[in-house]
Amino acid sequence: WRVSIDDLEASCTKVNSAALVVSWFGTDVRCGQCEMIPGGESRDKVTDHDPWTAAGNSRATAHEVSQVNGRPAYGGTPADTSVVSAIKDLKSRGKSVVFYPFILMDIATGNTLIDPYTGLSSQPEYPWRGLITCDPAPNRPGSPDKSAASTAQIDAFFGTASVSDFAISGSDVVYSGPSEWSFRRMILHYAHLCVAAGGVDAFLIGSELRNLVHVRDSADHYPAVDHLIALASDVRAVVGSSTKISYAADWSEYFGHQPQDGSNDVYFHLDPFWAHSEVDFIGIDNYMPLSDWRDGSGHLDRAEGARSIYDLDYLRGNIAGGEGFDWYYVSQADRDD
């Protein structure tokens, strides 16, 4: 940690804010079946001088991350003591801390989980968390989308853990609530851990749950948005008024929902969340390209005067121009052409 942050400060001298990403592991893209669990890379790495614990789990009881070619598919969840130390160190260096709870989907190759998008008995390996949705997925036969039946699945994902189920003991967080590994338990655990560390400047209550947030219980109501609003209020009760709160929406969901059901409807489904009194800013995970540079010398970007992919004026010009701003490719075939 020290080497990494020393290097950051030496290389990027004007950086004054850091997003601290801390991950738990999702077990299923079906929201009603998905648990969020802290996990370790191996149950064998046990040391007496610095025992690993996260949300009350030891290495022996935590989820063990699956392997690819004999190695862990992901790095494990940081120990709670490491998270507290990281927050304190960033603050001691004068950095603003944005706490970013993150879901990594630990669904290995060869799994036999039913895919809500196809009905087949295998879900995509190590998928994006944005694929978490109802079962069957919207626009598939038998989907609970647009009916009250979707509510039970979404409720199961968020869980029932409440603020009163957590207590801070020194730099530890103690949980005494229902036996569940739910989204609410994850978020509220870290809200309390941030307080135990002395507080953070901003706290995200999740990110990129696009296909979950798009599920409806009627033509135009989104129960996951109600859950996010309730969670924002609960996190506010924990972290206080000085911490900014938001949700990091994927760039494809922050602006609204356009159901692909032939209705041509457009719903600004996240507006009730963005407008809520406990939400301080609109959060967008954004991955817009800064160039459309191609190999060779015959492409338009070079023809228009850019010397190379490293031309700073060319890259600056594409921040408010170029792909994703002035124009877009309709399909992969158009991009290839």
Side-chain angles (χ1 to χ4, degrees):
W1 172 267
R2 291 192 195 96
V3 170
S4 174
I5 305 303
D6 286 348
D7 186 58
L8 172 68
E9 290 188 318
S11 303
C12 305
T13 57
K14 294 185 179 181
V15 167
N16 59 18
S17 179
L20 186 63
V21 178
V22 179
S23 298
W24 284 15
F25 296 91
T27 61
D28 202 307
V29 296
R30 296 169 295 178
C31 64
Q33 309 292 325
C34 184
E35 292 186 311
M36 264 63 58
I37 313 175
E41 296 173 34
S42 172
R43 289 183 175 144
D44 299 327
K45 295 180 179 179
V46 178
T47 57
D48 293 331
H49 70 279
D50 187 19
W52 180 96
T53 59
N57 273 285
S58 66
R59 286 196 186 277
T61 60
H63 169 75
E64 187 172 26
V65 175
S66 66
Q67 295 195 343
V68 176
N69 297 325
R71 303 181 64 182
Y74 299 107
T77 302
D80 284 350
T81 54
S82 295
V83 175
V84 170
S85 296
I87 292 171
K88 289 182 176 180
D89 183 63
L90 287 170
K91 293 176 68 173
S92 73
R93 295 170 185 257
K95 303 287 186 284
S96 298
V97 181
V98 180
F99 194 84
Y100 194 153
F102 201 94
I103 299 173
L104 295 172
M105 300 301 292
D106 194 11
I107 299 175
T109 304
N111 71 83
T112 57
L113 301 172
I114 300 298
D115 184 351
Y117 296 94
T118 65
L120 300 177
S121 58
S122 180
Q123 293 183 7
E125 60 185 64
Y126 306 114
W128 175 42
R129 61 197 179 280
L131 291 182
I132 298 172
T133 190
C134 61
D135 180 36
N139 301 322
R140 287 200 64 237
S143 175
D145 184 41
K146 293 187 287 185
S147 77
S150 68
T151 304
Q153 294 187 22
I154 293 172
D155 288 350
F157 175 85
F158 281 93
T160 59
S162 65
V163 172
S164 61
D165 295 328
F166 298 83
I168 297 172
S169 176
S171 59
D172 295 327
V173 175
V174 179
Y175 177 71
S176 59
S179 179
E180 63 181 37
W181 290 106
S182 64
F183 189 71
R184 285 184 59 86
R185 180 170 178 181
M186 174 187 177
I187 299 302
L188 291 175
H189 170 79
Y190 282 121
H192 284 84
L193 196 65
C194 286
V195 172
V200 293
D201 297 87
F203 188 97
L204 298 175
I205 61 168
S207 65
E208 297 184 18
L209 296 172
R210 185 187 70 181
N211 289 5
L212 178 69
V213 173
H214 282 174
V215 175
R216 294 168 282 174
D217 62 6
S218 61
D220 60 356
H221 182 253
Y222 297 81
V225 176
D226 293 341
H227 277 285
L228 289 176
I229 290 172
L231 198 48
S233 296
D234 287 343
V235 169
R236 173 68 70 208
V238 177
V239 301
S241 59
S242 61
T243 297
K244 295 180 179 179
I245 295 173
S246 192
Y247 162 77
D250 185 65
W251 64 271
S252 64
E253 69 167 315
Y254 83 94
F255 61 90
H257 179 212
Q258 300 173 352
Q260 301 302 302
D261 56 5
S263 65
N264 293 319
D265 286 333
V266 178
Y267 296 111
F268 299 101
H269 65 309
L270 283 172
D271 278 12
F273 177 82
W274 300 133
H276 194 267
S277 60
E278 302 297 1
V279 176
D280 296 286
F281 58 94
I282 295 174
I284 309 171
D285 280 353
N286 197 26
Y287 310 96
M288 304 305 290
L290 281 185
S291 79
D292 187 39
W293 193 265
R294 304 302 176 100
D295 293 335
S297 59
H299 58 85
L300 289 176
D301 287 28
R302 184 182 291 276
E304 292 177 0
R307 298 187 303 275
S308 77
I309 186 61
Y310 307 107
D311 187 315
L312 290 181
D313 289 336
Y314 163 65
L315 294 174
R316 289 190 186 103
N318 278 324
I319 292 174
E323 184 183 356
F325 191 92
D326 293 320
W327 53 272
Y328 64 95
Y329 291 114
V330 174
S331 67
Q332 184 61 41
D334 290 329
R335 179 181 292 279
D336 294 342
D337 197 37

